[in-house]
Amino acid sequence: MLPALPLSNQIEATLFDEGRNNNNGEPLMKKLLLGAAAFIAFAAPAFAADMPARTYTKAPAYTAPEVVYNWTGFYIGGHLGGAFAGNNSLEGSGGRFMGGVQGGADYQFATNWVVGAEAQYSWLPSNSNNGVLFPGGTLVTQDNHALGSVTGRLGYTWGPALLYAKGGYAWRDNNNIGVSLAGAPVAFATTGNHKDGYTVGAGLEYMFAPNWSAKAEYQYYNFGSTTFTAGTPAIVGARFRDDEHTVKVGVNYRFGWGGPVAARY
Protein backbone atom coordinates (compact mmCIF):
# COMPACT_ATOMS: atom_id res chain seq x y z
CA MET A 1 0.00 0.00 0.00
CA LEU A 2 1.30 3.34 -1.10
CA PRO A 3 1.77 6.04 1.46
CA ALA A 4 -0.84 8.77 1.58
CA LEU A 5 -0.04 12.08 -0.14
CA PRO A 6 0.27 15.20 1.87
CA LEU A 7 -2.92 17.24 2.19
CA SER A 8 -1.68 20.05 -0.10
CA ASN A 9 -0.83 17.60 -2.81
CA GLN A 10 -4.23 15.95 -2.46
CA ILE A 11 -5.98 19.34 -3.04
CA GLU A 12 -3.87 20.07 -6.14
CA ALA A 13 -4.62 16.64 -7.55
CA THR A 14 -8.33 17.11 -6.92
CA LEU A 15 -8.36 20.53 -8.71
CA PHE A 16 -6.44 19.06 -11.63
CA ASP A 17 -8.92 16.25 -12.00
CA GLU A 18 -11.86 18.66 -11.83
CA GLY A 19 -10.18 20.87 -14.48
CA ARG A 20 -9.89 17.92 -16.77
CA ASN A 21 -13.38 16.57 -16.47
CA ASN A 22 -16.80 17.79 -15.47
CA ASN A 23 -19.56 15.59 -14.11
CA ASN A 24 -20.36 14.31 -17.66
CA GLY A 25 -16.75 13.70 -18.54
CA GLU A 26 -16.52 16.68 -20.99
CA PRO A 27 -13.60 19.03 -20.94
CA LEU A 28 -14.25 22.16 -18.96
CA MET A 29 -12.44 24.29 -21.56
CA LYS A 30 -14.97 23.36 -24.24
CA LYS A 31 -17.80 24.51 -21.99
CA LEU A 32 -16.05 27.79 -21.31
CA LEU A 33 -15.59 28.45 -25.05
CA LEU A 34 -19.21 27.62 -25.84
CA GLY A 35 -20.40 29.85 -23.03
CA ALA A 36 -18.29 32.74 -24.24
CA ALA A 37 -19.59 32.32 -27.80
CA ALA A 38 -23.19 32.31 -26.57
CA PHE A 39 -22.59 35.43 -24.50
CA ILE A 40 -21.12 37.25 -27.50
CA ALA A 41 -24.00 36.14 -29.74
CA PHE A 42 -26.62 37.54 -27.37
CA ALA A 43 -24.71 40.64 -26.37
CA ALA A 44 -23.75 41.74 -29.92
CA PRO A 45 -27.25 42.98 -31.00
CA ALA A 46 -27.64 44.98 -27.82
CA PHE A 47 -24.22 46.50 -28.27
CA ALA A 48 -24.97 47.32 -31.90
CA ALA A 49 -28.22 49.01 -30.90
CA ASP A 50 -26.29 51.32 -28.62
CA MET A 51 -23.87 52.33 -31.41
CA PRO A 52 -24.69 55.50 -33.40
CA ALA A 53 -25.99 54.99 -36.93
CA ARG A 54 -23.38 55.13 -39.65
CA THR A 55 -23.60 58.28 -41.73
CA TYR A 56 -23.02 58.33 -45.48
CA THR A 57 -21.66 61.44 -47.21
CA LYS A 58 -23.00 61.99 -50.71
CA ALA A 59 -20.34 62.69 -53.27
CA PRO A 60 -20.47 66.31 -54.51
CA ALA A 61 -22.21 66.81 -57.85
CA TYR A 62 -19.93 67.23 -60.85
CA THR A 63 -19.50 70.84 -61.84
CA ALA A 64 -18.27 71.53 -65.34
CA PRO A 65 -15.29 73.88 -65.54
CA GLU A 66 -16.03 77.49 -66.38
CA VAL A 67 -15.07 78.36 -69.94
CA VAL A 68 -12.93 81.48 -70.24
CA TYR A 69 -13.02 83.27 -73.60
CA ASN A 70 -9.97 85.18 -74.75
CA TRP A 71 -10.51 87.93 -77.33
CA THR A 72 -6.83 88.87 -77.63
CA GLY A 73 -5.42 88.40 -81.13
CA PHE A 74 -5.67 89.21 -84.82
CA TYR A 75 -8.68 88.45 -87.01
CA ILE A 76 -9.86 88.66 -90.60
CA GLY A 77 -13.36 88.26 -92.00
CA GLY A 78 -16.12 89.34 -94.33
CA HIS A 79 -19.52 91.00 -94.12
CA LEU A 80 -22.79 91.52 -96.00
CA GLY A 81 -25.48 94.11 -95.46
CA GLY A 82 -27.20 97.22 -96.73
CA ALA A 83 -26.44 100.95 -97.05
CA PHE A 84 -29.06 103.68 -96.75
CA ALA A 85 -28.43 107.35 -97.52
CA GLY A 86 -29.71 110.04 -95.18
CA ASN A 87 -32.94 111.96 -95.80
CA ASN A 88 -31.30 115.05 -97.32
CA SER A 89 -29.02 113.25 -99.74
CA LEU A 90 -28.51 113.27 -103.48
CA GLU A 91 -28.48 109.47 -103.41
CA GLY A 92 -32.11 109.28 -102.33
CA SER A 93 -33.46 107.20 -99.48
CA GLY A 94 -33.41 103.80 -101.18
CA GLY A 95 -31.19 101.04 -99.80
CA ARG A 96 -28.33 99.34 -101.59
CA PHE A 97 -26.62 96.00 -101.07
CA MET A 98 -23.09 96.08 -99.66
CA GLY A 99 -20.40 93.48 -99.09
CA GLY A 100 -16.81 93.63 -98.01
CA VAL A 101 -13.92 92.53 -95.83
CA GLN A 102 -12.48 93.54 -92.47
CA GLY A 103 -9.42 92.83 -90.39
CA GLY A 104 -8.13 93.95 -87.03
CA ALA A 105 -6.72 93.12 -83.63
CA ASP A 106 -8.16 93.02 -80.13
CA TYR A 107 -6.59 93.03 -76.68
CA GLN A 108 -8.47 91.84 -73.59
CA PHE A 109 -6.87 94.00 -70.92
CA ALA A 110 -9.20 93.04 -68.04
CA THR A 111 -11.64 90.30 -67.20
CA ASN A 112 -14.52 91.94 -69.06
CA TRP A 113 -12.94 94.67 -71.22
CA VAL A 114 -11.58 94.55 -74.75
CA VAL A 115 -9.89 97.29 -76.79
CA GLY A 116 -8.98 97.00 -80.46
CA ALA A 117 -8.55 98.50 -83.92
CA GLU A 118 -10.18 97.54 -87.20
CA ALA A 119 -9.92 98.36 -90.91
CA GLN A 120 -12.94 97.73 -93.12
CA TYR A 121 -13.75 98.06 -96.82
CA SER A 122 -17.21 97.69 -98.42
CA TRP A 123 -18.25 97.60 -102.05
CA LEU A 124 -21.50 99.21 -103.21
CA PRO A 125 -23.28 98.62 -106.53
CA SER A 126 -24.17 101.51 -108.83
CA ASN A 127 -26.93 103.68 -107.45
CA SER A 128 -30.20 102.92 -109.21
CA ASN A 129 -32.14 105.92 -107.85
CA ASN A 130 -33.43 108.61 -110.18
CA GLY A 131 -31.62 111.46 -108.41
CA VAL A 132 -33.19 114.74 -107.35
CA LEU A 133 -35.33 116.63 -109.86
CA PHE A 134 -35.37 120.44 -109.47
CA PRO A 135 -37.96 122.91 -110.86
CA GLY A 136 -37.33 123.64 -114.51
CA GLY A 137 -36.17 120.08 -115.26
CA THR A 138 -32.66 120.09 -113.75
CA LEU A 139 -31.73 116.58 -112.57
CA VAL A 140 -28.89 115.91 -110.11
CA THR A 141 -27.57 112.39 -109.49
CA GLN A 142 -24.88 111.01 -107.23
CA ASP A 143 -23.17 107.63 -107.11
CA ASN A 144 -20.78 106.19 -104.52
CA HIS A 145 -19.16 102.79 -105.13
CA ALA A 146 -17.27 102.05 -101.92
CA LEU A 147 -16.95 102.87 -98.24
CA GLY A 148 -13.93 102.34 -96.01
CA SER A 149 -13.01 102.97 -92.39
CA VAL A 150 -10.21 102.65 -89.86
CA THR A 151 -11.60 102.65 -86.35
CA GLY A 152 -10.80 101.95 -82.76
CA ARG A 153 -13.26 100.02 -80.69
CA LEU A 154 -13.97 99.38 -77.04
CA GLY A 155 -16.06 96.49 -75.83
CA TYR A 156 -17.49 94.76 -72.78
CA THR A 157 -17.44 90.96 -72.82
CA TRP A 158 -19.28 88.34 -70.80
CA GLY A 159 -18.94 84.70 -71.72
CA PRO A 160 -18.73 84.32 -75.49
CA ALA A 161 -20.41 87.70 -76.21
CA LEU A 162 -18.77 91.07 -76.87
CA LEU A 163 -20.78 94.30 -76.96
CA TYR A 164 -18.72 97.11 -78.49
CA ALA A 165 -18.70 100.68 -79.79
CA LYS A 166 -16.39 101.95 -82.52
CA GLY A 167 -15.38 105.19 -84.17
CA GLY A 168 -12.71 106.76 -86.35
CA TYR A 169 -11.75 107.70 -89.89
CA ALA A 170 -14.07 107.11 -92.88
CA TRP A 171 -13.40 107.19 -96.62
CA ARG A 172 -15.47 106.91 -99.80
CA ASP A 173 -14.45 106.53 -103.41
CA ASN A 174 -14.86 109.17 -106.13
CA ASN A 175 -18.28 110.56 -105.35
CA ASN A 176 -19.69 111.00 -108.84
CA ILE A 177 -22.18 113.87 -109.20
CA GLY A 178 -24.00 114.52 -112.45
CA VAL A 179 -26.20 117.48 -113.49
CA SER A 180 -28.39 117.44 -116.59
CA LEU A 181 -31.14 119.60 -118.11
CA ALA A 182 -33.59 117.99 -120.49
CA GLY A 183 -31.19 115.04 -120.74
CA ALA A 184 -28.15 117.16 -121.69
CA PRO A 185 -25.15 117.48 -119.29
CA VAL A 186 -24.77 120.87 -117.59
CA ALA A 187 -21.59 122.37 -116.17
CA PHE A 188 -21.63 122.97 -112.41
CA ALA A 189 -19.39 123.63 -109.43
CA THR A 190 -19.61 122.54 -105.80
CA THR A 191 -17.93 122.95 -102.46
CA GLY A 192 -17.63 120.09 -100.04
CA ASN A 193 -18.18 116.71 -101.66
CA HIS A 194 -15.37 115.29 -99.54
CA LYS A 195 -13.97 111.80 -99.76
CA ASP A 196 -12.84 111.86 -96.11
CA GLY A 197 -15.06 111.92 -93.04
CA TYR A 198 -15.78 110.17 -89.77
CA THR A 199 -17.68 107.11 -88.70
CA VAL A 200 -19.24 105.76 -85.50
CA GLY A 201 -21.00 102.51 -84.81
CA ALA A 202 -21.85 99.72 -82.41
CA GLY A 203 -22.28 95.99 -82.59
CA LEU A 204 -22.49 92.61 -80.92
CA GLU A 205 -19.97 89.84 -81.60
CA TYR A 206 -20.30 86.22 -80.47
CA MET A 207 -17.75 83.38 -80.35
CA PHE A 208 -19.69 80.40 -81.67
CA ALA A 209 -16.70 78.05 -82.09
CA PRO A 210 -12.96 78.01 -81.33
CA ASN A 211 -11.33 80.75 -83.43
CA TRP A 212 -14.65 81.78 -85.02
CA SER A 213 -16.96 84.67 -84.19
CA ALA A 214 -20.04 86.22 -85.80
CA LYS A 215 -21.16 89.84 -85.52
CA ALA A 216 -24.07 92.17 -86.22
CA GLU A 217 -23.21 95.85 -86.58
CA TYR A 218 -24.61 99.29 -87.27
CA GLN A 219 -22.19 101.90 -88.68
CA TYR A 220 -22.81 105.52 -89.61
CA TYR A 221 -20.60 107.40 -92.12
CA ASN A 222 -20.53 111.20 -92.43
CA PHE A 223 -18.64 113.11 -95.12
CA GLY A 224 -19.96 116.58 -94.47
CA SER A 225 -22.11 118.26 -97.10
CA THR A 226 -22.10 119.36 -100.73
CA THR A 227 -23.22 122.84 -101.84
CA PHE A 228 -23.74 123.85 -105.50
CA THR A 229 -22.00 127.16 -106.31
CA ALA A 230 -22.57 127.15 -110.06
CA GLY A 231 -24.95 125.53 -112.52
CA THR A 232 -28.52 126.15 -113.51
CA PRO A 233 -30.33 128.80 -111.41
CA ALA A 234 -32.44 126.07 -109.82
CA ILE A 235 -29.49 124.31 -108.15
CA VAL A 236 -27.19 127.22 -107.21
CA GLY A 237 -27.09 127.43 -103.41
CA ALA A 238 -28.67 123.99 -102.92
CA ARG A 239 -26.99 122.06 -100.08
CA PHE A 240 -27.09 118.31 -99.45
CA ARG A 241 -25.75 116.13 -96.66
CA ASP A 242 -23.31 113.35 -97.53
CA ASP A 243 -23.89 110.46 -95.15
CA GLU A 244 -24.65 106.76 -95.09
CA HIS A 245 -26.33 104.45 -92.61
CA THR A 246 -25.21 100.81 -92.86
CA VAL A 247 -26.36 97.59 -91.24
CA LYS A 248 -24.34 94.42 -91.71
CA VAL A 249 -23.59 90.94 -90.41
CA GLY A 250 -20.21 89.30 -90.64
CA VAL A 251 -17.96 86.41 -89.66
CA ASN A 252 -14.39 86.62 -88.35
CA TYR A 253 -11.61 84.04 -88.08
CA ARG A 254 -9.47 84.74 -85.00
CA PHE A 255 -5.80 83.76 -84.77
CA GLY A 256 -5.39 84.63 -81.07
CA TRP A 257 -1.87 85.26 -79.77
CA GLY A 258 -3.19 85.33 -76.21
CA GLY A 259 -3.97 81.61 -76.21
CA PRO A 260 -7.02 79.55 -77.04
CA VAL A 261 -10.28 79.46 -75.18
CA ALA A 262 -9.45 78.08 -71.72
CA ALA A 263 -11.24 76.27 -68.89
CA ARG A 264 -11.25 77.60 -65.32
CA TYR A 265 -11.93 75.13 -62.48
Side-chain angles (χ1 to χ4, degrees), residues 89 91 124 142-149 169-177 192-197 221-226 241-244:
S89 172
E91 294 184 23
L124 299 169
Q142 185 182 49
D143 201 3
N144 178 28
H145 295 147
L147 293 170
S149 63
Y169 169 77
W171 171 90
R172 62 178 177 173
D173 73 345
N174 187 21
N175 192 34
N176 300 311
I177 295 178
N193 194 26
H194 301 294
K195 290 184 177 182
D196 305 315
Y221 298 81
N222 189 296
F223 301 97
S225 61
T226 297
R241 188 169 57 213
D242 300 324
D243 59 356
E244 297 273 2

Side-chain angles (χ1 to χ4, degrees), residues 11-23 26-29:
I11 294 174
E12 290 178 1
T14 302
L15 291 175
F16 176 77
D17 289 339
E18 289 180 355
R20 290 175 52 196
N21 301 292
N22 62 4
N23 295 332
E26 296 178 351
L28 180 61
M29 185 61 66

Side-chain angles (χ1 to χ4, degrees), residues 149-221:
S149 63
V150 177
T151 59
R153 71 176 192 169
L154 177 66
Y156 181 84
T157 178
W158 69 100
L162 173 66
L163 182 65
Y164 63 88
K166 61 187 292 186
Y169 169 77
W171 171 90
R172 62 178 177 173
D173 73 345
N174 187 21
N175 192 34
N176 300 311
I177 295 178
V179 178
S180 62
L181 179 61
V186 175
F188 65 94
T190 63
T191 60
N193 194 26
H194 301 294
K195 290 184 177 182
D196 305 315
Y198 71 89
T199 180
V200 292
L204 178 66
E205 194 163 355
Y206 189 88
M207 280 192 187
F208 63 89
N211 300 105
W212 289 96
S213 64
K215 69 173 184 176
E217 181 181 275
Y218 166 79
Q219 190 168 355
Y220 172 73
Y221 298 81

Side-chain angles (χ1 to χ4, degrees), residues 68-73 108 207 211 254-262:
V68 180
Y69 295 86
N70 190 349
W71 291 89
T72 298
Q108 189 164 342
M207 280 192 187
N211 300 105
R254 297 184 161 272
F255 297 95
W257 76 66
V261 173

Side-chain angles (χ1 to χ4, degrees), residues 20-171:
R20 290 175 52 196
N21 301 292
N22 62 4
N23 295 332
N24 298 325
E26 296 178 351
L28 180 61
M29 185 61 66
K30 182 177 180 181
K31 279 193 171 186
L32 292 174
L33 291 175
L34 290 174
F39 174 78
I40 293 173
F42 284 104
F47 178 75
D50 293 337
M51 292 180 63
R54 183 177 178 181
T55 59
Y56 294 88
T57 303
K58 185 178 180 181
Y62 172 76
T63 302
E66 178 187 357
V67 179
V68 180
Y69 295 86
N70 190 349
W71 291 89
T72 298
F74 294 102
Y75 63 88
I76 57 173
H79 60 267
L80 297 172
F84 308 87
N87 293 331
N88 184 29
S89 172
L90 289 171
E91 294 184 23
S93 58
R96 289 187 290 166
F97 171 81
M98 69 182 301
V101 295
Q102 69 270 352
D106 287 322
Y107 178 69
Q108 189 164 342
F109 63 91
T111 303
N112 298 103
W113 292 98
V114 177
V115 65
E118 181 182 79
Q120 184 171 265
Y121 186 88
S122 304
W123 289 274
L124 299 169
S126 295
N127 199 341
S128 59
N129 72 77
N130 296 323
V132 179
L133 184 62
F134 288 82
T138 301
L139 178 65
V140 179
T141 59
Q142 185 182 49
D143 201 3
N144 178 28
H145 295 147
L147 293 170
S149 63
V150 177
T151 59
R153 71 176 192 169
L154 177 66
Y156 181 84
T157 178
W158 69 100
L162 173 66
L163 182 65
Y164 63 88
K166 61 187 292 186
Y169 169 77
W171 171 90

